[in-house]
Amino acid sequence: MEPTGCRAPWGLGSQAAGQRVVFAQLSTTMDTLLAGWTQCGDLLQDRWNSLLDTVGEDSWRLWVVGSTLVIFIVYWLYAGIFTLMDITNRPRFLRKYKIQPGQNEPVDLAKLWHAVKVVLFNLTVVNFLVSWLVYEFVYKTENSQDIRVLPTFKRSLRDLAVFVVLEEIMFYYAHRLLHHRSVYKYVHKKHHEWTAPIAAITLYAHPVEHVLANLLPVATSIAILGTHVALAYVIFGLAIINSMSDHTGYSFPWSAGSVRFHDYHHAKFNYNYGVLGLLDKLHGTYRAPAEQKGPSQRIRRAKKNAK
């Protein structure tokens, strides 16, 4: 008779074999992802080298002119889509996603044009001058080494993750400062003229506010991290898109919670100062989206109470 003690039970042996298959598949998947990322990294490096061969490696041109152009282009490409929607009220099937129904439907063109002129000034003159100053004081010496070599994937993830935290902290306190009664009516009140915001007015602000709350938190975070200029372009683009999404006045099924979070700030002023809401929770200025009632909801509730 064959000794049973030398054999593992059938169930355990089958389980072990299954685990080996899973580990083998996982290893193959990781190898495939790594190879894909390596190829992607090589492609990006080649494209970056081609760009530098065209525009040159002058760090002033890349940091000052390049940053100003990247922010300007991303801003108006994104704003253009929603501005067309705000002016035409089309496509109609998207109107149901308006956070404040009946507001800016359609948008006042005279008011919009006034805001656009302010935004253009901030995006060109103010952005250019601040980029130049930050470059001369920090980026020129701390962020301009090895411009031709792109950062690693790990370094890029680290910079992006830490940037989110740093920007949240600096923006929250700068924003709270702008709401102080000794400052608000002279500076921040301009931005709050739009109680129902739209994408194009995201940077409709007094130049002092634009520098203090919009530019310095981003620029300072990048300076602290020593971020590569190419990754800085990505961060600028993501920051602009995120901020503009919060000002579109639309909350789509795929929209982040910050959209209604910030729209409520424009409606009520004294809540939801941050980007993520972490410091709002800490300081008691947070209002959750579930607590927010749009105009249509308030009307329905008023009619119900009147019965």
Side-chain angles (χ1 to χ4, degrees):
M1 178 180 295
E2 185 178 350
T4 57
C6 296
R7 300 169 60 188
W10 182 85
L12 294 179
S14 180
Q15 182 180 9
Q19 289 177 343
R20 285 195 295 272
V21 171
V22 171
F23 285 135
Q25 291 176 340
L26 181 60
S27 178
T28 301
T29 301
M30 292 301 294
D31 289 341
T32 302
L33 290 174
L34 181 60
W37 175 251
T38 301
Q39 292 177 354
C40 181
D42 292 341
L43 178 63
L44 289 173
Q45 184 65 66
D46 288 341
R47 294 291 180 268
W48 179 246
N49 286 337
S50 297
L51 176 64
L52 293 183
D53 290 341
T54 302
V55 303
E57 297 182 37
D58 179 60
S59 58
W60 181 88
R61 187 181 303 153
L62 293 170
W63 275 110
V64 181
V65 179
S67 297
T68 304
L69 285 175
V70 166
I71 295 171
F72 187 93
I73 292 169
V74 172
Y75 189 95
W76 287 114
L77 283 176
Y78 198 67
I81 297 170
F82 284 95
T83 301
L84 188 62
M85 292 167 57
D86 293 325
I87 292 174
T88 64
N89 272 345
R90 287 184 171 77
R92 294 194 181 280
F93 70 89
L94 292 179
R95 309 309 292 177
K96 62 184 177 182
Y97 297 115
K98 285 280 290 183
I99 300 174
Q100 298 187 49
Q103 301 295 313
N104 299 317
E105 294 185 285
V107 66
D108 183 325
L109 292 180
K111 185 180 179 182
L112 174 62
W113 175 235
H114 171 71
V116 166
K117 288 186 288 185
V118 173
V119 171
L120 286 171
F121 179 79
N122 284 335
L123 282 172
T124 53
V125 177
V126 179
N127 277 17
F128 184 83
L129 292 176
V130 171
S131 296
W132 196 344
L133 283 173
V134 176
Y135 169 78
E136 292 294 342
F137 283 105
V138 184
Y139 295 162
K140 185 176 182 178
T141 55
E142 303 299 326
N143 295 66
S144 298
Q145 292 80 23
D146 298 324
I147 278 184
R148 192 168 277 274
V149 181
L150 290 177
T152 64
F153 179 61
K154 182 178 180 181
R155 173 61 187 270
S156 299
L157 283 182
R158 188 212 73 170
D159 281 13
L160 285 168
V162 179
F163 169 83
V164 170
V165 177
L166 292 176
E167 203 260 348
E168 167 74 4
I169 294 170
M170 286 182 272
F171 177 76
Y172 178 86
Y173 291 112
H175 198 179
R176 282 293 299 269
L177 174 63
L178 290 171
H179 274 266
H180 191 277
R181 60 185 179 183
S182 63
V183 178
Y184 178 82
K185 65 179 179 179
Y186 301 108
V187 180
H188 194 45
K189 185 177 181 180
K190 188 179 192 69
H191 184 67
H192 274 283
E193 290 172 9
W194 291 76
T195 55
I198 61 174
I201 63 94
T202 301
L203 296 184
Y204 174 69
H206 189 287
V208 171
E209 174 186 345
H210 184 50
V211 173
L212 184 64
N214 296 330
L215 298 182
L216 286 185
V218 176
T220 305
S221 298
I222 287 174
I224 291 172
L225 294 168
T227 301
H228 189 280
V229 64
L231 182 58
Y233 291 166
V234 175
I235 290 175
F236 294 151
L238 292 175
I240 283 291
I241 290 173
N242 180 68
S243 183
M244 295 184 75
S245 295
D246 291 347
H247 286 85
T248 59
Y250 288 87
S251 180
F252 301 111
W254 59 83
S255 295
S258 61
V259 176
R260 286 186 175 275
F261 172 87
H262 190 73
D263 194 272
Y264 187 77
H265 173 76
H266 271 264
K268 299 298 181 182
F269 296 4
N270 295 321
Y271 303 100
N272 300 353
Y273 294 103
V275 179
L276 302 176
L278 301 177
L279 289 174
D280 283 289
K281 291 179 179 179
L282 177 65
H283 292 292
T285 56
Y286 179 81
R287 288 297 179 273
E291 299 176 37
Q292 300 167 15
K293 305 296 184 182
S296 59
Q297 292 171 294
R298 290 196 296 269
I299 291 171
R300 286 198 298 270
R301 186 170 61 181
K303 287 182 177 179
K304 183 177 179 181
N305 293 337
K307 291 181 179 180

